[in-house]
Amino acid sequence: MITLLTLAVRFAAVGLLGMVIDFTITWFLKEKIDIEKFVANTIGFIIAVSNNYILNRIWTFNSKNPNVIEQFYHFATVSIIGLLLNTVFLYILHEKFNMKFYSSKFLAILMTFGWNFLANLLYTFGNV
């Protein structure tokens, strides 16, 4: 039986890869294509979420749920709430506390991790 700590470490590893994907796409869209920073942030987040769902389903939670579409809907719902939290944190840190954009983005991701892990553990994958 897999432990809660192992699940959290795997979820964090997938999240780290997702963060690399998110940062890379956000940076590329913002800096090279000149897309508005919050739009670029959202696009990077969506692509990372799709990647994270697949890896978390297969590796982290080893889900055998045949309702992949419904499960992805749950994951997407949790992720959208996470995106809202992430964006609020990013806005507050960057716009109100004048932190650099990418430092703010990194902290916003860390602040959103707890929500994402617990909601996916309990709601999306039901592994408790």
Side-chain angles (χ1 to χ4, degrees):
M1 174 139 191
I2 197 163
T3 67
L4 188 59
L5 178 60
T6 301
L7 288 176
V9 168
R10 287 182 179 186
F11 190 83
V14 169
L16 185 60
L17 176 60
M19 186 172 69
V20 169
I21 291 168
D22 187 354
F23 263 75
T24 301
I25 291 170
T26 300
W27 172 83
F28 179 77
L29 294 175
K30 180 181 175 289
E31 303 298 336
K32 298 298 180 187
I33 300 182
D34 199 31
I35 291 178
E36 197 277 328
K37 61 189 166 194
F38 291 105
V39 173
N41 182 60
T42 301
I43 293 169
F45 184 85
I46 289 168
I47 293 170
V49 162
S50 298
N51 174 77
N52 288 2
Y53 169 71
I54 294 166
L55 292 178
N56 278 313
R57 176 179 165 81
I58 294 167
W59 184 56
T60 305
F61 297 104
N62 193 28
S63 178
K64 305 295 184 207
N65 185 339
N67 299 318
V68 175
I69 302 298
E70 180 181 346
Q71 190 178 56
F72 181 77
Y73 172 76
H74 290 176
F75 192 86
T77 299
V78 168
S79 297
I80 289 167
I81 294 168
L83 173 62
L84 293 173
L85 290 170
N86 179 285
T87 302
V88 167
F89 294 143
L90 177 62
Y91 176 80
I92 291 169
L93 293 168
H94 180 61
E95 299 292 332
K96 299 299 181 186
F97 289 100
N98 296 315
M99 288 181 67
K100 294 186 186 232
F101 180 76
Y102 292 110
S103 297
S104 299
K105 182 169 176 57
F106 178 75
L107 286 176
I109 289 168
L110 291 179
M111 294 166 75
T112 309
F113 175 83
W115 156 258
N116 286 334
F117 176 67
L118 290 174
N120 280 301
L121 176 71
L122 299 171
Y123 176 66
T124 304
F125 297 103
N127 281 41
V128 173

